[in-house]
Coordinates of all heavy atoms in Angstrom, one line a residue:
M1 N 0.8 -1.2 0.0 CA 0.0 0.0 0.0 C 0.9 1.3 0.0 O 0.6 2.2 -0.7 CB -0.9 0.0 1.2 CG -1.8 1.2 1.3 SD -3.0 1.1 0.0 CE -3.9 2.6 0.2
L2 N 1.9 1.2 0.8 CA 2.8 2.4 0.9 C 3.5 2.6 -0.5 O 3.7 3.8 -0.9 CB 3.9 2.2 2.0 CG 4.8 3.4 2.2 CD1 4.0 4.6 2.6 CD2 5.8 3.1 3.3
E3 N 3.8 1.6 -1.2 CA 4.4 1.7 -2.5 C 3.5 2.4 -3.5 O 3.9 3.2 -4.3 CB 4.8 0.3 -3.1 CG 5.9 -0.3 -2.3 CD 5.4 -1.1 -1.1 OE1 4.2 -1.4 -1.1 OE2 6.2 -1.4 -0.2
K4 N 2.2 2.1 -3.4 CA 1.2 2.8 -4.3 C 1.1 4.3 -4.0 O 1.1 5.1 -4.9 CB -0.2 2.2 -4.1 CG -0.3 0.8 -4.7 CD -1.7 0.3 -4.6 CE -1.9 -1.1 -5.2 NZ -3.2 -1.6 -5.1
I5 N 1.2 4.6 -2.7 CA 1.1 6.0 -2.3 C 2.4 6.8 -2.8 O 2.3 7.9 -3.3 CB 0.9 6.2 -0.8 CG1 -0.4 5.6 -0.4 CG2 1.1 7.6 -0.3 CD1 -0.6 5.5 1.1
I6 N 3.5 6.2 -2.6 CA 4.8 6.8 -3.1 C 4.8 6.9 -4.6 O 5.2 8.0 -5.1 CB 6.0 6.0 -2.6 CG1 6.1 6.1 -1.1 CG2 7.3 6.4 -3.3 CD1 7.1 5.1 -0.5
D7 N 4.3 5.9 -5.3 CA 4.2 6.0 -6.8 C 3.3 7.1 -7.2 O 3.6 7.9 -8.1 CB 3.8 4.7 -7.3 CG 3.9 4.7 -8.8 OD1 4.9 5.1 -9.4 OD2 2.9 4.2 -9.5
L8 N 2.1 7.2 -6.6 CA 1.2 8.3 -6.9 C 1.8 9.6 -6.6 O 1.6 10.6 -7.4 CB -0.1 8.1 -6.1 CG -1.2 9.1 -6.3 CD1 -1.7 9.1 -7.8 CD2 -2.4 8.9 -5.4
D9 N 2.4 9.8 -5.5 CA 3.1 11.0 -5.1 C 4.1 11.4 -6.1 O 4.1 12.6 -6.5 CB 3.7 10.9 -3.7 CG 4.4 12.1 -3.3 OD1 3.7 13.2 -3.1 OD2 5.6 12.1 -3.0
K10 N 4.9 10.5 -6.6 CA 5.9 10.8 -7.6 C 5.2 11.3 -8.9 O 5.6 12.3 -9.6 CB 6.8 9.6 -7.9 CG 7.7 9.3 -6.8 CD 8.6 8.1 -7.2 CE 9.5 7.7 -6.0 NZ 10.3 6.5 -6.3
K11 N 4.2 10.6 -9.3 CA 3.4 10.9 -10.6 C 2.8 12.3 -10.5 O 2.9 13.1 -11.4 CB 2.4 9.9 -10.9 CG 3.0 8.6 -11.4 CD 1.9 7.6 -11.7 CE 2.5 6.3 -12.1 NZ 1.5 5.2 -12.4
V12 N 2.2 12.6 -9.3 CA 1.6 13.9 -9.1 C 2.6 15.0 -9.1 O 2.5 16.1 -9.8 CB 0.7 14.0 -7.9 CG1 0.3 15.4 -7.5 CG2 -0.5 13.0 -8.0
F13 N 3.8 14.8 -8.5 CA 4.8 15.7 -8.4 C 5.4 16.0 -9.8 O 5.5 17.2 -10.2 CB 6.0 15.2 -7.5 CG 7.1 16.2 -7.5 CD1 7.1 17.3 -6.7 CD2 8.3 15.9 -8.2 CE1 8.2 18.2 -6.7 CE2 9.4 16.7 -8.2 CZ 9.3 17.9 -7.4
I14 N 5.6 15.0 -10.6 CA 6.1 15.2 -12.0 C 5.1 15.9 -12.8 O 5.5 16.8 -13.6 CB 6.5 13.8 -12.6 CG1 7.8 13.3 -11.9 CG2 6.8 14.0 -14.1 CD1 8.1 11.9 -12.2
Y15 N 3.8 15.6 -12.7 CA 2.8 16.3 -13.4 C 2.7 17.8 -13.1 O 2.7 18.6 -13.9 CB 1.4 15.6 -13.1 CG 0.3 16.4 -13.8 CD1 0.0 16.3 -15.1 CD2 -0.6 17.2 -13.0 CE1 -1.0 17.0 -15.7 CE2 -1.6 17.9 -13.5 CZ -1.8 17.8 -14.9 OH -2.9 18.5 -15.5
L16 N 2.7 18.1 -11.8 CA 2.6 19.5 -11.3 C 3.9 20.2 -11.7 O 3.8 21.4 -12.1 CB 2.4 19.5 -9.8 CG 1.0 19.1 -9.4 CD1 1.0 19.1 -7.8 CD2 -0.1 19.9 -9.9
N17 N 5.0 19.6 -11.7 CA 6.3 20.2 -12.0 C 6.3 20.5 -13.5 O 6.8 21.6 -13.9 CB 7.5 19.3 -11.7 CG 8.8 20.0 -11.7 OD1 8.8 21.2 -11.5 ND2 9.8 19.3 -12.0
G18 N 5.6 19.7 -14.3 CA 5.6 20.0 -15.8 C 4.6 21.1 -16.1 O 4.7 21.6 -17.2
L19 N 3.8 21.5 -15.2 CA 2.8 22.6 -15.5 C 3.5 24.0 -15.3 O 2.9 25.0 -15.6 CB 1.6 22.5 -14.5 CG 0.7 21.4 -14.7 CD1 -0.4 21.4 -13.6 CD2 0.1 21.4 -16.1
G20 N 4.7 24.0 -14.8 CA 5.4 25.3 -14.6 C 5.4 26.2 -15.8 O 5.6 25.8 -16.9
S21 N 5.2 27.5 -15.5 CA 5.4 28.5 -16.5 C 5.8 29.8 -15.9 O 5.6 30.0 -14.7 CB 4.1 28.7 -17.3 OG 3.1 29.4 -16.5
E22 N 6.4 30.6 -16.6 CA 6.9 31.9 -16.1 C 5.8 32.7 -15.5 O 6.0 33.6 -14.6 CB 7.7 32.7 -17.1 CG 9.0 32.0 -17.5 CD 9.8 32.8 -18.5 OE1 9.6 34.1 -18.5 OE2 10.6 32.2 -19.2
T23 N 4.6 32.5 -16.0 CA 3.4 33.3 -15.5 C 3.2 33.0 -14.0 O 2.8 33.9 -13.3 CB 2.1 32.8 -16.3 OG1 2.4 33.0 -17.7 CG2 1.0 33.7 -15.9
Y24 N 3.4 31.8 -13.6 CA 3.1 31.4 -12.2 C 4.3 31.4 -11.3 O 4.2 31.2 -10.1 CB 2.4 30.1 -12.1 CG 1.1 30.1 -12.8 CD1 0.9 29.4 -14.0 CD2 0.0 30.7 -12.2 CE1 -0.4 29.4 -14.6 CE2 -1.3 30.7 -12.8 CZ -1.4 30.0 -14.0 OH -2.6 30.0 -14.6
D25 N 5.5 31.7 -11.8 CA 6.7 31.7 -11.0 C 6.6 32.6 -9.8 O 7.0 32.3 -8.7 CB 7.9 32.0 -11.8 CG 8.4 30.8 -12.7 OD1 7.8 29.7 -12.5 OD2 9.2 31.0 -13.6
G26 N 6.1 33.8 -10.0 CA 6.0 34.8 -8.9 C 5.1 34.3 -7.9 O 5.3 34.5 -6.7
L27 N 4.0 33.7 -8.3 CA 3.0 33.2 -7.3 C 3.6 32.1 -6.4 O 3.5 32.1 -5.2 CB 1.8 32.6 -8.0 CG 0.8 31.8 -7.2 CD1 0.1 32.8 -6.2 CD2 -0.2 31.1 -8.0
W28 N 4.3 31.2 -7.0 CA 4.9 30.1 -6.2 C 6.0 30.6 -5.3 O 6.2 30.1 -4.2 CB 5.5 29.0 -7.2 CG 4.4 28.3 -7.9 CD1 4.3 28.2 -9.3 CD2 3.2 27.7 -7.4 NE1 3.1 27.6 -9.6 CE2 2.4 27.3 -8.5 CE3 2.7 27.5 -6.1 CZ2 1.2 26.6 -8.4 CZ3 1.4 26.9 -6.0 CH2 0.7 26.4 -7.1
L29 N 6.8 31.6 -5.8 CA 7.8 32.2 -4.9 C 7.2 32.9 -3.7 O 7.7 32.8 -2.6 CB 8.7 33.1 -5.7 CG 9.6 32.5 -6.7 CD1 10.3 33.6 -7.6 CD2 10.7 31.7 -6.0
L30 N 6.1 33.5 -4.0 CA 5.3 34.2 -2.9 C 4.8 33.1 -1.9 O 5.0 33.3 -0.7 CB 4.2 35.0 -3.4 CG 3.3 35.7 -2.4 CD1 4.1 36.9 -1.8 CD2 2.1 36.2 -3.0
I31 N 4.2 32.1 -2.4 CA 3.7 31.0 -1.5 C 4.7 30.3 -0.7 O 4.5 30.0 0.5 CB 2.9 30.0 -2.4 CG1 1.6 30.6 -2.9 CG2 2.6 28.7 -1.6 CD1 0.9 29.8 -3.9
T32 N 5.9 30.1 -1.3 CA 6.9 29.3 -0.6 C 7.9 30.2 0.3 O 8.7 29.6 1.0 CB 7.8 28.6 -1.6 OG1 8.4 29.5 -2.5 CG2 7.0 27.5 -2.3
K33 N 7.7 31.5 0.4 CA 8.5 32.3 1.3 C 8.2 31.9 2.7 O 7.0 31.9 3.1 CB 8.3 33.8 1.0 CG 9.0 34.3 -0.1 CD 9.1 35.8 0.0 CE 9.9 36.4 -1.1 NZ 11.2 36.8 -0.6
Q34 N 9.2 31.6 3.4 CA 9.0 31.1 4.8 C 8.4 32.2 5.7 O 7.6 31.9 6.6 CB 10.3 30.7 5.4 CG 10.2 30.1 6.8 CD 11.5 29.6 7.4 OE1 12.5 29.7 6.8 NE2 11.4 29.0 8.5
I35 N 8.6 33.5 5.5 CA 8.1 34.5 6.3 C 6.6 34.5 6.3 O 6.0 34.8 7.3 CB 8.7 35.9 5.9 CG1 8.4 36.9 7.0 CG2 8.1 36.4 4.6 CD1 9.3 38.1 7.0
Y36 N 6.0 34.1 5.2 CA 4.5 34.1 5.2 C 3.9 32.9 5.9 O 2.8 32.9 6.3 CB 4.0 34.1 3.7 CG 4.4 35.4 3.0 CD1 5.2 35.3 1.9 CD2 4.0 36.6 3.4 CE1 5.6 36.4 1.2 CE2 4.4 37.8 2.7 CZ 5.2 37.6 1.6 OH 5.6 38.8 1.0
W37 N 4.7 31.9 6.1 CA 4.2 30.7 6.8 C 4.6 30.7 8.3 O 4.1 29.8 9.1 CB 4.8 29.4 6.2 CG 4.2 29.2 4.8 CD1 4.7 29.6 3.6 CD2 3.0 28.6 4.5 NE1 3.9 29.3 2.6 CE2 2.8 28.6 3.1 CE3 2.0 27.9 5.3 CZ2 1.7 28.1 2.5 CZ3 0.9 27.4 4.6 CH2 0.8 27.5 3.3
T38 N 5.4 31.6 8.7 CA 5.9 31.6 10.1 C 4.8 31.6 11.1 O 4.9 30.9 12.1 CB 6.8 32.9 10.3 OG1 7.9 32.8 9.4 CG2 7.3 32.9 11.7
P39 N 3.7 32.3 10.9 CA 2.6 32.2 12.0 C 2.0 30.8 12.2 O 1.5 30.5 13.2 CB 1.5 33.2 11.4 CG 2.2 34.1 10.5 CD 3.4 33.3 9.9
F40 N 2.2 30.0 11.2 CA 1.7 28.6 11.3 C 2.6 27.7 12.1 O 2.2 26.6 12.5 CB 1.4 28.0 9.9 CG 0.4 28.6 9.1 CD1 0.7 29.5 8.1 CD2 -1.0 28.5 9.4 CE1 -0.3 30.1 7.3 CE2 -2.0 29.1 8.7 CZ -1.7 29.9 7.7
F41 N 3.8 28.2 12.3 CA 4.8 27.4 13.0 C 4.7 27.6 14.6 O 5.3 26.9 15.3 CB 6.2 27.7 12.6 CG 6.5 27.3 11.1 CD1 7.1 28.2 10.3 CD2 6.0 26.1 10.6 CE1 7.4 27.8 9.0 CE2 6.2 25.8 9.3 CZ 6.9 26.6 8.5
Y42 N 4.0 28.6 15.0 CA 3.9 28.9 16.4 C 2.7 28.4 17.0 O 1.7 28.2 16.6 CB 4.0 30.4 16.6 CG 5.4 30.9 16.3 CD1 5.6 31.7 15.2 CD2 6.5 30.6 17.1 CE1 6.9 32.1 14.9 CE2 7.8 31.0 16.8 CZ 8.0 31.8 15.7 OH 9.2 32.2 15.4

């Protein structure tokens, strides 16, 4: 069962990674900035 989950995770990651475009680069950089997530860590 764990192998199926890992395989699905890899497929989804590769699919989402392939969707990348310069249009959304700014959005993803904004989302992944640690300072915006800091309130969730406390």
Side-chain angles (χ1 to χ4, degrees):
M1 181 66 182
L2 186 59
E3 293 85 18
K4 288 183 179 182
I5 294 172
I6 292 171
D7 186 48
L8 178 63
D9 180 59
K10 288 179 184 178
K11 288 180 181 178
V12 170
F13 177 77
I14 291 170
Y15 173 75
L16 292 175
N17 195 28
L19 292 178
S21 71
E22 291 184 24
T23 307
Y24 295 110
D25 283 349
L27 172 67
W28 297 124
L29 288 172
L30 179 73
I31 289 173
T32 58
K33 279 200 175 251
Q34 185 178 1
I35 192 159
Y36 299 117
W37 289 95
T38 302
F40 294 106
F41 297 135
Y42 292 109

